[in-house]
Amino acid sequence: MGTVIVDGIEVAIGDDEHLNGIEVARRAGIEIPHYCWHAGLSVVASCRMCLVESGTRNPDTGEITVVPKLVPACQTPAKDNTVFVTNSDRVKHSRAFVEEALLMDHPIDCPICDKAGECHLQDYFFEHGQAQRRADIRPFTSKKRDVGPTVTLFADRCVMCTRCVRFTREITGTSELMVIDRGSHDEIDVFPGHPLDNRMSGNVVDLCPVGALGDKDFLYEQRVWFMEKHDGVCTGCSTGCSISVEENQDTVYRLKPRENPRINQWWMCDEGRYGYHHVHSTKRLVGAVRRDASGATAIEWEQVFSELPARLQGAGPLAAVISPHLTVEEAYLLATYIRQIDPAARLVVGPVPVEGTDETFPNGFTIRAEKCPNRRGVEEIVKHFGCESEVYEAVQSDVAAGLIGGVWVSGGYKTDTFDAAAAQALSSGKLLVVQDLFASPVTEVADYQLPGPAFPEREGSYVNCADRLQSVPWAIRSPAGVRTDGSVLWRLLGRAGLYRSRTVLDEIAATIPYFALAAGPVSPQGVALSETTPATTTT
């Protein structure tokens, strides 16, 4: 155990910890401004914004020896008896000069810049800049340049922190970005003939501390101070990245990675980042429909709740196809409800979409081929009810053979998963209930077609491929006419009050040993359910 002194505050550090001045200052509650340093990238100490006074305390006499020049805090290791001074006049003047130098070359176009509201240049200027601007404000060109299919570059806003360049070299290993020219003429650009077009390219926009790199998908769509941020889980693949869902008035405008060293560190892939537009598709199912000999009829949810139990009881042997897009709580409630009507009902995991093969980047981040967020969680729920290792296709054939009378199919898929052959087989029974996002061959033949929620509209838990459970709240309300799977099943089970996923998770944790570690509060980084599984998927 060592002790570091930051502005007179003693901070304890572990023997095996490797912290720099910025990191140890945070432990003392002091934020040292910086542009180029990022915990996930190599240290270059180029921006000079984090210059501080540093020295060493003699452990015997207590005398402090300070080095004569300011040093970058990002590049200075915090060791036992290291001293940092972050608020002296020398340090303050240094920061003010750096800010002034940057603003000489930076356009004052905050009203049009996408970074306004979350720009470190703005924030640091007000906090650390000169009291008055000494340079004349001259017109800037604010020239925009495409650097790839998802990212655009405003070269004159760049402060040359080179975070984006290091990201493509160290994280993706693709090296599309580089620094061209020298001195005051240097700029970020792509290598000729090689646009920024890797599967994680959107992360460079998150890394940019100013408004130099813009996300084409989000550009000029919304001011950041109008949006609310909610914790979420990416449902694009079985990695289950921790994300933030940013929305305004129930419209999602962007998804961003949420730091989680146990799963995705600071990153997410473009497939997940831009994989939310289906949430606001005009093709979504938005009302319950009953289909009989006279055709399809729109019905109220109250009719569903009053009619469906009797129809299921009269259908004969039942089965439930539980989607890997459902939360753990929703899967548990569906299994419980079907077993309540038919104690011998078949329970199977729904189709698990797989595209290509896993792709792992140099830093260990992996985009999984399995394109669903909760196969592991649903598998354990099904196993708990004694239906281990049954495949969805077996239910199809048994319905066609007359061995199963009624089927409840849950969905949540972005694309068509059930084809015409599946629809024909499943509809040959007495009753077919389908709860899904979009119309498909199966919904077209369902006796009850129930609109389902998209992922930002669900609250509950997901278990990723490494057995880590994350619990998240809902971020936006569902469109009118749509009810979440959890609330529908909660009502059908006759439980009192409103659906709360935490209540169901407590029940699951007390009932199913696999989920026992989720009994207490679930941290934002999730909880590892399997002790035999490595805690992290990225190294």
Side-chain angles (χ1 to χ4, degrees):
M1 183 74 74
T3 301
V4 179
I5 301 94
V6 183
D7 295 343
I9 302 171
E10 293 193 353
V11 180
I13 59 171
D15 294 334
D16 57 348
E17 287 190 292
H18 301 282
L19 305 177
N20 61 27
I22 294 175
E23 292 170 307
V24 78
R26 281 178 178 168
R27 290 197 179 178
I30 299 167
E31 184 67 23
I32 298 176
H34 56 275
Y35 292 116
C36 66
W37 179 78
H38 187 281
L41 303 173
S42 60
V43 178
V44 292
S46 63
C47 76
R48 319 309 284 177
M49 194 64 191
C50 69
L51 290 177
V52 294
E53 293 189 83
S54 181
T56 304
R57 181 181 66 175
N58 187 313
D60 298 324
T61 65
E63 183 181 0
I64 296 175
T65 304
V66 178
V67 296
K69 291 185 177 181
L70 299 181
V71 298
C74 65
Q75 204 175 37
T76 305
K79 300 182 292 187
D80 189 23
N81 288 305
T82 300
V83 176
F84 291 103
V85 178
T86 73
N87 57 3
S88 68
D89 287 342
R90 286 182 69 199
V91 172
K92 291 178 181 176
H93 288 154
S94 168
R95 291 172 185 165
F97 291 151
V98 171
E99 280 294 301
E100 186 174 32
L102 290 173
L103 285 170
M104 288 178 67
D105 297 322
H106 195 284
I108 312 299
D109 60 355
C110 300
I112 65 167
C113 177
D114 236 29
K115 201 73 173 182
E118 52 186 9
C119 173
H120 289 191
L121 193 63
Q122 274 186 332
D123 295 343
Y124 289 167
F125 172 71
F126 284 109
E127 192 172 354
H128 306 289
Q130 298 277 21
Q132 288 186 324
R133 182 184 176 91
R134 293 186 293 178
D136 293 333
I137 298 176
R138 58 181 174 82
F140 292 91
T141 57
S142 195
K143 53 189 178 184
K144 186 171 71 172
R145 180 191 311 159
D146 274 356
V147 292
T150 61
V151 179
T152 189
L153 169 67
F154 295 87
D156 55 0
R157 297 177 191 167
C158 180
V159 297
M160 295 305 297
C161 70
T162 69
R163 284 183 178 185
C164 54
V165 176
R166 284 174 281 151
F167 176 83
T168 60
R169 290 178 181 172
E170 300 165 8
I171 307 301
T172 64
T174 49
S175 302
E176 299 102 328
L177 293 175
M178 64 176 183
V179 178
I180 60 171
D181 297 330
R182 290 175 178 271
S184 61
H185 298 287
D186 57 358
E187 285 187 3
I188 299 296
D189 205 346
V190 293
F191 194 83
H194 294 274
L196 179 63
D197 190 16
N198 64 69
R199 297 182 72 185
M200 295 179 68
S201 59
N203 290 285
V204 299
V205 179
D206 303 333
L207 285 169
C208 183
V210 295
L213 291 168
D215 188 333
K216 291 181 181 177
D217 185 68
F218 180 70
L219 201 62
Y220 307 135
E221 289 293 320
Q222 191 73 188
R223 283 302 197 183
V224 295
W225 52 82
F226 290 138
M227 298 194 296
E228 292 192 27
K229 185 182 292 187
H230 310 267
D231 285 356
V233 172
C234 179
T235 57
C237 80
S238 59
T239 294
C241 290
S242 300
I243 61 171
S244 295
V245 180
E246 299 189 7
E247 56 86 19
N248 181 22
Q249 298 185 340
D250 294 324
T251 298
V252 177
Y253 285 97
R254 67 179 179 185
L255 305 181
K256 298 187 75 174
R258 178 164 51 89
E259 182 181 345
N260 188 340
R262 298 291 183 177
I263 297 178
N264 55 305
Q265 296 181 320
W266 300 269
W267 326 117
M268 69 182 296
C269 71
D270 287 0
E271 186 179 332
R273 182 185 298 270
Y274 304 119
Y276 68 89
H277 291 285
H278 69 285
V279 172
H280 304 299
S281 169
T282 56
K283 295 181 180 179
R284 278 187 60 176
L285 302 175
V286 291
V289 173
R290 180 184 59 210
R291 183 173 286 99
D292 52 27
S294 60
T297 307
I299 60 174
E300 298 293 332
W301 276 102
E302 288 303 319
Q303 287 179 268
V304 174
F305 296 133
S306 63
E307 296 176 5
L308 200 51
R311 293 291 303 275
L312 285 167
Q313 287 168 0
L318 299 181
V321 178
I322 306 178
S323 168
H325 282 271
L326 263 57
T327 64
V328 169
E329 294 85 349
E330 292 166 340
Y332 177 78
L333 290 179
L334 177 54
T336 302
Y337 179 62
I338 295 298
R339 278 297 177 87
Q340 186 182 76
I341 298 173
D342 177 7
R346 298 265 294 278
L347 305 173
V348 297
V349 180
V352 177
V354 176
E355 297 177 11
T357 57
D358 292 354
E359 180 177 358
T360 301
F361 291 85
N363 78 320
F365 184 93
T366 300
I367 302 173
R368 303 287 175 183
E370 186 178 287
K371 302 302 180 186
C372 59
N374 197 28
R375 175 185 57 80
R376 286 290 299 121
V378 173
E379 279 180 350
E380 293 297 329
I381 293 293
V382 169
K383 188 188 300 182
H384 166 71
F385 285 90
C387 294
E388 190 174 358
S389 302
E390 269 212 301
V391 296
Y392 150 72
E393 287 77 8
V395 170
Q396 279 185 228
S397 56
D398 285 354
V399 173
L403 301 175
I404 295 174
V407 185
W408 184 304
V409 178
S410 56
Y413 301 94
K414 287 190 290 187
T415 56
D416 288 347
T417 303
F418 302 99
D419 56 18
Q424 184 177 6
L426 293 172
S427 63
S428 60
K430 291 182 180 178
L431 182 67
L432 175 60
V433 180
V434 180
Q435 192 169 19
D436 208 345
L437 271 177
F438 297 104
S440 69
V442 177
T443 60
E444 294 301 318
V445 297
D447 297 289
Y448 285 89
Q449 172 187 299
L450 308 179
F455 72 92
E457 299 157 14
R458 301 179 189 270
E459 68 171 47
S461 309
Y462 300 92
V463 183
N464 75 357
C465 59
D467 293 308
R468 178 161 284 270
L469 178 142
Q470 298 180 83
S471 296
V472 293
W474 58 270
I476 60 173
R477 291 171 292 188
S478 298
V482 175
R483 296 189 61 151
T484 64
D485 299 53
S487 68
V488 170
L489 294 161
W490 183 268
R491 175 75 180 274
L492 288 171
L493 282 163
R495 298 195 176 189
L498 297 176
Y499 167 66
R500 289 286 181 270
S501 63
R502 182 65 243 189
T503 304
V504 181
L505 186 59
D506 286 338
E507 182 178 329
I508 294 171
T511 308
I512 306 176
Y514 174 78
F515 295 99
L517 293 177
V522 177
S523 82
Q525 296 182 355
V527 57
L529 296 178
S530 174
E531 296 296 338
T532 59
T533 302
T536 178
T537 60
T538 55
T539 56

